[in-house]
Amino acid sequence: MHLPQPRPHRDDVRIAVVGLLGGLALWGIGLGMNAGRLLHGSWLLIPLVLMSALELLRRIRPRFAVVAGTLVLVADQFTQGSLATVLMFTDLMYAAALYGTPTMARRLPVSTGLVTVAATLGFLAWWREPEAVLVGVATGLVAFGPAATGVLVRNHRDRAAEERLRAEQTALLAEMDRAQAVVAERARMARELHDMVANHLSAIAIHSTAALSIDEPATTRTALETIRENSVDGLAEMRRLIGILRDSSGDTEPAAAPTLDGLGALVEQARTNGLDVALTLTGSTGGLPAPVELAAYRIVQESLTNALKHASTGQVTAVVERRGDERVEVCVSSPYGDRDGPRAPGSGAGLVGMRERTALLGGAFEAGPEGSPDGGEVWRVRAVLPLENPAHGGESA
């Protein structure tokens, strides 16, 4: 398949046209650079036209343009010479360093520098006159100067491109971090909202079902009182969380996170809702890291909520034990089996939230049915929360 050849850049066309017209104007007024050369008169137009034609290739074929331009410049020295031809050659040398391959850009200043030194020493040895240094200076201005300038501009452009790429990568990483932070914050908010409200709503659902199914005034009144208490508490928790989310001034003091000292009140609330709960708290709760206390509290809270919704008749046991400075172990067991009476629907989000809280602290979590010493089955939730690095991934309420 025939591939289309690259076309000259429009700026290169402008340079070629301006150089050609400038050279024609200089020739028209009779201005030449070399006097008494072998070829005079209109002979200088041939190198001028060839050099302007090579300007069209300065960007698409820089190596060929600078090699051919060197030959044309040498040929121009046998004519009266044109300043426009010399200036266009310097532009070809500059373009070769700027648009050529990296290897060519590295070698061109070195080779032109060596040519400049060789020309200076050679003419000094031949003429043995100080004016011979001017030949070396002219060679350096025509060859080495443009090549070195092109390399400097190229390096500057390369560094600018690298900085732009680095800035884009930094912005991309920052956006990824922001997205991950948003996802993590949404997950944290979901866990907090579920743990704070699910207990109250589950109690409301169960007691409202009981009130509808049992036609006894006393039972109905008790159920309605429990429903009202849980709805008020749930609304208060909702208002507190929504207030924190809506406040953007930073003036609102953060709400105190639940601690293990609040487990007694949590158990009493569960008993009010109809659960038979026994709580055992072993070891000192003082000095525990806040993320560990919050996670342990929420795991017990969610386990009691699940027991309220799904457990069969029997006692629920909650054990929280501190093992020195190493870990805190949480174990909640509830009767497992067919349940008589109303049930509240569950989505499984509670187990996911407990597992996530434990994982964020680098702990271990398991939940599932197990055999009990009396021959029945219990649903047991176990969580081991290490104390060594609790700040890693910790949460606050």
Side-chain angles (χ1 to χ4, degrees):
M1 183 177 63
H2 177 71
L3 297 177
Q5 296 297 321
R7 300 180 61 182
H9 195 274
R10 59 178 179 272
D11 292 339
D12 299 343
V13 175
R14 295 190 185 102
I15 294 173
V17 172
V18 170
L20 179 60
L21 294 178
L24 292 175
L26 294 176
W27 174 70
I29 63 177
L31 182 60
M33 295 182 60
N34 307 321
R37 295 302 168 93
L38 180 63
L39 302 175
H40 54 82
S42 59
W43 282 98
L44 64 85
L45 296 179
I46 297 177
L48 175 66
V49 172
L50 292 176
M51 195 69 77
S52 62
L54 291 174
E55 284 282 20
L56 300 175
L57 306 177
R58 64 190 293 272
R59 202 181 303 249
I60 58 178
R61 298 286 298 278
R63 181 189 296 272
F64 173 79
V66 75
V67 172
T70 302
L71 299 177
V72 172
L73 183 65
V74 172
D76 185 63
Q77 302 309 306
F78 294 94
T79 69
Q80 288 183 344
S82 174
L83 179 61
T85 302
V86 176
L87 291 178
M88 284 190 288
F89 175 77
T90 61
D91 180 67
L92 291 179
M93 191 67 68
Y94 168 82
L98 183 60
Y99 301 116
T101 62
T103 302
M104 185 178 183
R106 289 194 302 268
R107 294 178 178 176
L108 200 57
V110 177
S111 59
T112 54
L114 294 176
V115 169
T116 300
V117 173
T120 303
L121 297 179
F123 277 96
L124 276 175
W126 183 19
W127 290 354
R128 298 184 183 278
E129 296 290 341
E131 288 78 6
V133 176
L134 297 177
V135 177
V137 173
T139 304
L141 290 176
V142 172
F144 175 74
T149 303
V151 171
L152 290 176
V153 174
R154 183 188 184 115
N155 291 337
H156 176 73
R157 289 184 177 181
D158 291 344
R159 285 195 296 270
E162 291 175 359
E163 291 299 327
R164 284 195 299 270
L165 178 60
R166 187 176 294 110
E168 292 173 359
Q169 292 175 342
T170 302
L172 179 60
L173 291 175
E175 178 62 22
M176 292 174 61
D177 290 341
R178 187 198 67 81
Q180 292 176 356
V182 169
V183 172
E185 182 63 14
R186 290 177 62 183
R188 188 191 71 83
M189 290 164 52
R191 286 192 297 269
E192 287 299 310
L193 182 62
H194 179 274
D195 291 345
M196 288 190 301
V197 179
N199 185 43
H200 300 297
L201 294 182
S202 298
I204 290 172
I206 291 174
H207 285 282
S208 61
T209 303
L212 292 172
S213 60
I214 301 176
D215 189 13
E216 294 181 6
T219 303
T220 301
R221 181 176 181 83
T222 302
L224 291 176
E225 290 176 351
T226 304
I227 290 172
R228 183 184 183 282
E229 179 182 349
N230 280 277
S231 62
V232 170
D233 292 342
L235 286 173
E237 294 283 0
M238 285 285 292
R239 290 193 189 98
R240 182 180 68 83
L241 182 60
I242 292 173
I244 293 174
L245 295 178
R246 284 183 174 175
D247 180 62
S248 59
S249 63
D251 298 332
T252 303
E253 290 292 330
T259 64
L260 295 183
D261 293 335
L263 288 179
L266 181 65
V267 168
E268 286 300 323
Q269 183 185 35
R271 289 170 180 163
T272 302
N273 292 333
L275 277 181
D276 180 11
V277 186
L279 172 66
T280 302
L281 191 60
T282 305
S284 173
T285 60
L288 284 176
V292 173
E293 280 203 273
L294 175 62
Y297 181 94
R298 293 299 190 201
I299 290 172
V300 173
Q301 182 184 43
E302 180 57 30
S303 298
L304 295 180
T305 300
N306 288 341
L308 179 64
K309 293 190 293 185
H310 306 296
S312 57
T313 304
Q315 188 179 59
V316 178
T317 60
V319 179
V320 179
E321 182 178 3
R322 176 175 181 173
R323 296 292 184 92
D325 294 331
E326 297 180 0
R327 64 187 183 275
V328 171
E329 296 182 3
V330 179
C331 181
V332 181
S333 302
S334 58
Y336 180 72
D338 294 335
R339 172 183 177 140
D340 297 329
R343 300 174 66 98
S347 62
L351 290 176
V352 173
M354 289 189 285
R355 194 179 303 276
E356 288 177 350
R357 289 184 184 277
T358 306
L360 286 172
L361 295 173
F365 176 84
E366 60 180 7
E370 294 182 5
S372 63
D374 59 4
E377 277 191 312
V378 296
W379 182 273
R380 183 164 288 127
V381 174
R382 285 196 185 93
V384 179
L385 308 175
L387 301 179
E388 294 181 358
N389 190 20
H392 175 67
E395 301 179 71
S396 60

